[in-house]
Amino acid sequence: MAVTIKDVAKETNLAISTISKYMNGGTVRAENRELIEAAIQKLGYLPNRSARGLRTSKAYMIGLITGRVSSPHTAAIISEIEKKFRLLGYSVTFATHEENGIQAKDYVDYMVERGVDGVISTPIGSGRDYLKSAVEKNIPVLLLEEHWGDIRTDCVPPDAGRLFGFPKKNPFKARMYI
């Protein structure tokens, strides 16, 4: 059976609230921090992302939809997106649309059903309707390298160096347009 925060609290004789505060980056006494870290190591505790998601109403998951990954440019952007979001505690679900709007729509719908916290996409020449389910559910959508004025999205322009200037708490608060 998986080790829980309750097990860590029992091992340390500290309150669950103290363990939770530590786990969420809060300040705890130095001696409590040492006890908690020792218990985590001893018990092999790993945070349960699903439990965290229930508490915060977030999935800590980003959907990334792009065309073919055959170019080094696209591969580098995807790699950096994944790294940046991993550092923020998010996982990235990845799909390629192959310039097929129907396939892209199916991927976006799948990601919305899974409760992603945001969708990042490269544009598709065949239309914009594929993002409709995310936009209608008020899920933040970020387009890479192109902005469409007729759909509510954020945009990162072709200058990929600016891509990594996401705000630390919520990367989708950046509003960058060409």
Side-chain angles (χ1 to χ4, degrees), residues 4 8 15 35 41 50 67 80 82 86-87 94 106 112 114-115 128 131-132 134 136 141 146 149 159 169 177:
T4 68
V8 175
L35 284 171
Q41 185 70 29
S50 296
E80 289 300 316
E82 192 279 328
R86 186 172 8 102
L87 290 172
F94 176 73
D106 290 345
V112 167
R114 296 296 178 268
R128 300 171 171 129
L131 295 168
K132 189 176 183 181
E136 286 176 349
V141 175
E146 187 174 319
D159 175 6
K169 294 226 176 196
Y177 298 97

Side-chain angles (χ1 to χ4, degrees), residues 25-67:
T27 304
V28 297
R29 292 184 193 162
E31 61 266 19
N32 289 347
R33 184 178 61 248
E34 291 172 14
L35 284 171
I36 295 167
E37 289 171 356
I40 288 170
Q41 185 70 29
K42 177 182 175 185
L43 299 172
Y45 172 79
L46 293 172
N48 183 322
R49 297 240 183 244
S50 296
R52 182 180 180 199
L54 288 172
R55 184 178 47 80
T56 63
S57 298
K58 292 179 75 173
Y60 293 92
M61 181 171 38
I62 302 299
L64 175 59
I65 302 171
T66 185

Side-chain angles (χ1 to χ4, degrees), residues 113-169:
E113 289 169 9
R114 296 296 178 268
V116 295
D117 298 307
V119 175
I120 300 174
S121 179
T122 57
I124 297 176
S126 64
R128 300 171 171 129
D129 286 344
Y130 75 101
L131 295 168
K132 189 176 183 181
S133 64
V135 171
E136 286 176 349
K137 299 259 188 215
N138 292 318
I139 296 171
V141 175
L142 181 67
L143 286 176
L144 298 178
E145 303 184 337
E146 187 174 319
H147 180 254
W148 300 329
D150 61 339
I151 188 168
R152 195 181 73 240
T153 65
D154 290 335
C155 176
V156 175
D159 175 6
R162 292 176 60 194
L163 174 66
F164 313 118
F166 287 134
K168 288 185 178 173
K169 294 226 176 196

